[in-house]
Amino acid sequence: MALISEPEAARRLARAIVSDVHLYNQDKIKEGIEQDNLFEAISDELDEGRALYQQRVAPEIVQSHNFFDLAIVDVLIKYSGKIKSKIW
């Protein structure tokens, strides 16, 4: 399989992976936000998603863009903003 070498395609892949993390871990995410330990609560899932992203995207794109981290904020945090938390 060829590596993704177009930035826009890499951005879409990152968003799709983080969307899947959100979809399949809603209870963990809710609890993590409520307990103010979101990143610890889903660290395994995010690590797995990041590894998949890095396997599929050309290294120069991974190194020059932070699409995966942006997807965490844009997808995961924005979708979860309605959950009560001490941090917002």
Side-chain angles (χ1 to χ4, degrees):
M1 173 184 337
L3 294 177
I4 294 170
S5 60
E6 294 295 323
E8 185 57 30
R11 185 188 69 77
R12 285 193 309 269
L13 176 63
R15 292 177 66 86
I17 291 169
V18 174
S19 290
D20 283 352
V21 169
H22 180 264
L23 179 65
Y24 294 110
N25 297 283
Q26 291 181 12
D27 292 337
K28 277 182 156 181
I29 291 168
K30 181 179 185 293
E31 184 176 315
I33 290 173
E34 292 172 344
Q35 302 287 324
D36 194 19
N37 68 350
L38 173 62
F39 295 106
E40 292 85 5
I42 60 169
S43 65
D44 291 342
E45 291 82 358
L46 289 176
D47 289 347
E48 184 179 334
R50 187 179 305 274
L52 175 61
Y53 173 78
Q54 291 172 344
Q55 289 172 0
R56 304 263 324 268
V57 176
E60 59 273 10
I61 300 294
V62 172
Q63 293 169 2
S64 64
H65 297 83
N66 60 347
F67 291 135
F68 194 83
D69 293 332
L70 290 172
I72 291 171
V73 173
D74 289 346
V75 176
L76 190 69
I77 304 300
K78 284 185 181 177
Y79 286 161
S80 303
K82 63 184 173 274
I83 299 170
K84 287 189 177 186
S85 171
K86 295 180 252 177
I87 60 174
W88 55 69

